[in-house]
Amino acid sequence: MRTVDCVVVGGGPAGLATARTAARAGAEVVVVDENAQLGGQYYRQLPPTFRTPVSARAGKETVEGRGLIDEVRALGVETKLDTVAWAVFDGRTLAVTSGGSTERLEAKTLVLAPGAYDRPVPFPGWTLPGVLTAGGAQNLMKAYRVLPGRRVLIAGSGPLLLVVAHYLLEGGARVLAVCEAAPMRGLWRYGLRMLPHLNFVQQGYRYRQELRDAGVPLLTGHIIRQALGTTEVTRAVVAECDRTWRPVVGTERSFDIDALVVGYGFVPSVELSCLAGAEQRYRPDVDAWLPARTPELETTVPGVFVVGDGAGVAGSAVALEEGAMAGLAVAHRLGRLTEGEYVGRRARARGRLRHLAGFRAVMDEIYRVGPGLYRLAGDQTTLCRCEEVTVGEARAAIAEGARELNEVKAWTRIGMGRCQGRFCGPTLAHLVAQATGRSVAESGVFTSRPPTKPVPLGALADEMG
């Protein structure tokens, strides 16, 4: 087993910013990422063998990310790519697998920057080919220059919908409509709170103007009802919804499509922080479990930090600042920064984060998830894709006495598949809460167990042998 000053899991904005700051101070840093290239979802880079026409211009995020990646590499940071971090033992010992072989890294400090994944929303037809998450569609277009379809409907909630529409229009697709579940009424009330964040407001305005110029309707207060098709999606039905995101009967309208992009926000990836033993707390305002953190972004496990969207989805600007702040804490913990240097730089980082927190708070209020989102699926709708468990089967287990997620899991095998409950867990928690009259927090979460992600059997045998 190898001992390292700092191990960073995740090569997106938060992880890269952590590595840069800690390495600048002289710490030995290893970055582990399961992708073939650094950058994460936001800084997604084209594959090295991919060739684009000279006329094709790289996006702003790609260029910005390339600069950060080059800087991290120039600092001598070791990168382990195509490497899955699948367990944390004894607080800070990380198990990783690459190419079928397993290694353990004993971290003096461990920084988790695992990011987040698209919030899964079961509805009739959501398993049809051609139905994609917003993150999946964005990845196709940013990393491979592949359109998910030519006639596309976008449904969901949050600023990412406008970004995805931008990429689709830029790629030549026809966007039939953008259906935003939030009502978007009374935005004037946020005027004073948004004044310090005019750069973000202007960016959003530019995306909205792009939709208007392209003749794309923005249907606020609308939610997805179902996707239709036989071998692939060919039609989608949306409806008006009330403030709780419940569909209004009689307001349905359909679109003939060849792709449906669905994005109702994101869920932080907390599996590794759970395995490290960090305390998790449920926040109803963002409908997610988040690791408890100190002002230094340290969890309840000494020496284990969580930064970026894995600690609460707040965007790339926050991820960069949190990564820098965690890098300072790591350098100070390792004795690479004096107390005076650390206190001064930490204060500046905290000030920037406080400024950004104001914008994030407004976004969370405007796009707060409505409970009606978890009532879209019928009993015949597949809830657990991996084990092919329906909503009706889950409800039957609850009716027979299951009172929290792990009990439903034991009775139905829901959550036991390849995704380890990431796709079914959030909805199941709401189903349990609705049926039992308890809170979502009281419904519990699936117990995280290693491996948190699929690894070859040979790698596990190597670990045990």
Side-chain angles (χ1 to χ4, degrees):
M1 183 164 57
R2 176 182 165 200
T3 301
V4 182
D5 281 350
C6 176
V7 177
V8 178
V9 179
L16 290 171
T18 301
R20 176 176 61 183
T21 304
R24 277 178 176 172
E28 176 195 14
V29 182
V30 175
V31 175
V32 176
D33 195 283
E34 64 187 45
N35 295 295
Q37 294 187 92
L38 294 171
Q41 179 75 338
Y42 185 74
Y43 288 147
R44 183 72 63 182
Q45 303 291 303
L46 288 171
T49 56
F50 199 93
R51 296 292 179 264
T52 56
V54 176
S55 59
R57 57 187 177 85
K60 171 180 172 291
E61 299 93 345
T62 301
V63 175
E64 182 182 319
R66 191 178 300 147
L68 180 53
I69 292 167
D70 289 345
E71 187 175 358
V72 166
R73 286 186 170 138
L75 288 166
V77 172
E78 180 182 347
T79 57
K80 289 181 172 292
L81 302 179
D82 285 319
T83 301
V84 177
W86 54 270
V88 181
F89 300 108
D90 303 320
R92 297 194 305 274
T93 300
L94 188 72
V96 301
T97 293
S98 178
S101 62
T102 295
E103 179 185 8
R104 286 199 183 194
L105 299 172
E106 184 178 11
K108 294 179 183 177
T109 54
L110 176 62
V111 181
L112 302 176
Y117 56 93
D118 292 86
R119 183 181 301 278
V121 179
F123 57 89
W126 77 307
T127 58
L128 278 170
V131 179
L132 297 86
T133 63
Q138 189 182 28
N139 187 20
L140 273 179
M141 294 183 286
K142 289 177 72 171
Y144 302 103
R145 301 296 193 264
V146 173
L147 287 172
R150 290 289 175 181
R151 292 175 54 83
V152 187
L153 180 71
I154 302 174
S157 186
L160 182 62
L161 303 188
L162 302 181
V163 178
V164 172
H166 162 76
Y167 279 106
L168 285 165
L169 292 171
E170 190 175 60
R174 182 182 175 191
V175 179
L176 302 180
V178 175
C179 302
E180 166 61 62
M184 307 300 286
R185 291 190 294 271
L187 294 182
W188 58 269
R189 293 175 298 175
Y190 300 101
L192 288 177
R193 293 168 63 184
M194 294 299 283
L195 277 178
H197 311 285
L198 286 179
N199 55 328
F200 294 129
V201 175
Q202 290 167 348
Q203 186 179 44
Y205 175 80
R206 286 193 292 270
Y207 283 134
R208 289 283 295 271
Q209 189 61 49
E210 184 180 21
L211 291 185
R212 294 190 192 98
D213 293 343
V216 178
L218 176 59
L219 306 177
T220 60
H222 280 70
I223 199 163
I224 187 68
R225 288 297 289 121
Q226 61 178 328
L228 302 167
T230 51
T231 58
E232 60 189 42
V233 66
T234 57
R235 183 181 296 180
V237 179
V238 301
E240 294 179 17
C241 60
D242 62 19
R243 285 190 169 275
T244 67
W245 293 13
R246 288 175 181 262
V248 178
V249 177
T251 64
E252 294 83 4
R253 57 188 297 185
S254 64
F255 296 84
D256 293 325
I257 60 172
D258 59 14
L260 171 61
V261 175
V262 181
Y264 287 94
F266 294 90
V267 179
S269 296
V270 298
E271 297 79 20
L272 287 177
S273 62
C274 286
L275 287 180
E279 179 187 346
Q280 310 288 321
R281 297 172 184 170
Y282 178 74
R283 274 187 53 186
D285 59 324
V286 295
D287 190 24
W289 289 88
L290 307 176
R293 299 186 298 173
T294 69
E296 282 69 40
L297 311 181
E298 190 173 21
T299 69
T300 53
V301 179
V304 177
F305 301 79
V306 184
V307 293
D309 287 349
V313 179
S316 61
V318 170
L320 288 167
E321 291 295 345
E322 287 197 350
M325 189 165 170
L328 291 174
V330 164
H332 179 251
R333 189 71 53 88
L334 296 170
R336 308 286 180 157
L337 286 178
T338 66
E339 185 70 19
E341 290 175 319
Y342 174 57
V343 170
R345 295 175 65 181
R346 181 185 63 183
R348 290 190 290 274
R350 281 182 177 173
R352 291 190 292 268
L353 282 171
R354 278 195 298 271
H355 171 75
L356 291 168
F359 176 76
R360 186 67 253 169
V362 171
M363 293 297 99
D364 288 342
E365 289 178 31
I366 293 174
Y367 298 110
R368 182 165 183 163
V369 176
L373 186 67
Y374 298 104
R375 297 178 181 268
L376 298 175
D379 281 346
Q380 300 305 311
T381 305
T382 297
L383 175 56
C384 176
R385 292 178 178 232
C386 303
E387 297 296 323
E388 298 183 344
V389 180
T390 66
V391 170
E393 290 172 314
R395 284 175 172 154
I398 299 168
E400 291 174 12
R403 287 295 176 268
E404 60 99 26
L405 267 65
N406 286 302
E407 291 180 351
V408 181
K409 178 180 181 178
W411 291 11
T412 65
R413 293 189 58 82
I414 190 169
M416 291 187 182
R418 182 182 180 88
C419 83
Q420 291 291 283
R422 291 175 180 83
F423 261 61
C424 53
T427 299
L428 180 59
H430 281 267
L431 290 179
V432 172
Q434 291 164 10
T436 62
R438 305 164 74 193
S439 68
V440 175
E442 290 173 317
S443 300
V445 292
F446 289 132
T447 302
S448 293
R449 294 186 176 90
T452 60
K453 292 189 176 180
V455 294
L457 284 173
L460 292 180
D462 182 46
E463 167 71 16
M464 296 173 63

